[in-house]
Amino acid sequence: REEIVNTNQASERVQNIASSLVTTGTPYAREMTTGHVPFEVVGKKNPEVLYFAGCSTRQDRSEIMAALSQIFQAMGTDWAILQEEGCCGTPLYELGYTDAAKDATAKLAAKISAVHPKLLLTGCPHCFKAFKELYPQWGISFSADLQICHTSQYLETLIAQGMLKLEDKTTASVCYHDPCQLGRNLKIFDAPRRLIEAVTGQAPRELFHNKEHAECCGAGAVMFLTDPEVAVKVAKKRLERVHETQTEVMITACQNCKTNFVKAKNQADGI
């Protein structure tokens, strides 16, 4: 993809997405909001936890922000969220715009460092990949004592340590879809499953292809934006596997997976 970009062969759709990422910090060509979180945590300095929602969560899955905000409030967590996050760098990198991605990561790292958090928390596997892999590869560093966690790791640890207690457990049958970046790339398989077991009282049912062999949801590598029709077709095939488990609920630890699955389910018959 980088070669395609460097030889000016990128499609108009890809160019428009990249342009939006560079100019607005998101692929959606409009400003992201911080709705569903208390105004006093927006732009707050020196928090215990800085929650980085990511552009897709702010755009399509604000309920994730609201749910985490409720957990923080119940626990009395000292947390903050950036007023304007900007691009984490991953989508630009995956589109082939490596130089632009490096510029975006440097700007975002400076924003995060200026807040001085003790923990950088994100629920987006793509942002998590950027913080854990791309930034070190490109020589972009945070303070040595800054911890970086995915929300599944963070919440599972709090429950295991007895700091987060659940009053009720759901009785619904659940299966789990491993996101490509979180699972196959970053090897985080157990934390989401242990978290589900803590909530439901039982381990999630496994799809036929799971963990490092899990099939893609269709949204990966920005496909849900560059070629949404193909992305939905891939998601429908994965939903057929989900249907085989005969569970009531499918859970995933990626907002893009959820968005693409919801779109595919709304367009499918009998799933």
Side-chain angles (χ1 to χ4, degrees):
R1 290 186 175 188
E2 184 176 286
E3 183 178 347
I4 291 172
V5 169
N6 290 339
T7 54
N8 298 315
Q9 297 182 69
S11 69
E12 183 178 355
R13 178 178 285 182
V14 167
Q15 291 181 52
N16 289 339
I17 293 171
S19 176
S20 178
L21 283 164
V22 170
T23 57
T24 71
T26 86
Y28 302 105
R30 53 188 173 277
E31 183 179 350
M32 298 292 99
T33 69
T34 54
H36 305 284
V37 303
F39 73 90
E40 63 268 17
V41 307
V42 178
K44 181 180 174 182
K45 301 288 186 180
N46 303 304
E48 193 77 23
V49 178
L50 176 63
Y51 171 52
F52 190 87
C55 57
S56 292
T57 298
R58 289 191 179 209
Q59 168 67 22
D60 294 318
R61 302 264 69 96
S62 60
E63 72 274 13
I64 295 175
M65 298 171 64
L68 197 57
S69 177
Q70 288 181 329
I71 293 173
F72 285 145
Q73 185 175 0
M75 294 185 60
T77 303
D78 175 22
W79 71 289
I81 189 170
L82 296 174
Q83 174 70 48
E84 296 180 358
E85 291 181 336
C87 179
C88 71
T90 298
L92 281 166
Y93 175 66
E94 291 180 336
L95 288 172
Y97 292 80
T98 304
D99 290 340
K102 290 179 179 179
D103 289 342
T105 56
K107 291 176 182 177
L108 178 56
K111 282 185 184 181
I112 292 171
S113 296
V115 175
H116 302 293
K118 295 181 180 179
L119 171 67
L120 175 58
L121 180 68
T122 183
C124 173
H126 305 274
C127 297
F128 190 52
K129 171 191 174 181
F131 299 144
K132 297 290 284 187
E133 288 190 349
L134 295 183
Y135 285 43
Q137 288 176 17
W138 293 339
I140 298 170
S141 60
F142 297 110
S143 63
D145 58 349
L146 177 67
Q147 299 180 60
I148 304 174
C149 285
H150 185 264
T151 50
S152 63
Q153 298 173 304
Y154 176 71
L155 296 174
E156 189 272 329
T157 298
L158 291 179
I159 291 175
Q161 294 176 346
M163 299 174 66
L164 176 59
K165 300 182 185 298
L166 305 176
E167 295 182 354
D168 300 306
K169 293 184 177 181
T170 180
T171 58
S173 56
V174 171
C175 67
Y176 176 67
H177 165 79
D178 290 279
C180 293
Q181 291 294 351
L182 191 67
R184 187 159 49 250
N185 184 32
L186 295 166
K187 309 303 180 187
I188 297 176
F189 301 118
D190 296 333
R193 286 171 168 80
R194 286 195 291 259
L195 184 57
I196 291 171
E197 186 168 2
V199 173
T200 65
Q202 57 185 344
R205 295 180 193 175
E206 296 290 353
L207 279 71
F208 182 80
H209 295 103
N210 60 71
K211 297 185 177 179
E212 62 268 17
H213 302 297
E215 298 166 321
C216 182
C217 74
V222 205
M223 182 67 75
F224 72 116
L225 295 176
T226 60
D227 201 334
E229 296 82 8
V230 171
V232 167
K233 287 181 180 178
V234 174
K236 287 180 179 178
K237 295 299 294 183
R238 186 59 167 163
L239 287 178
E240 290 175 5
R241 294 293 190 187
V242 173
H243 192 61
E244 292 171 359
T245 67
Q246 297 183 335
T247 50
E248 300 170 83
V249 178
M250 179 186 68
I251 293 177
T252 185
C254 173
Q255 75 291 330
N256 290 346
C257 291
K258 180 177 180 180
T259 295
N260 207 42
F261 281 136
V262 169
K263 184 182 296 185
K265 183 179 184 298
N266 290 339
Q267 296 180 20
D269 295 325
I271 298 178

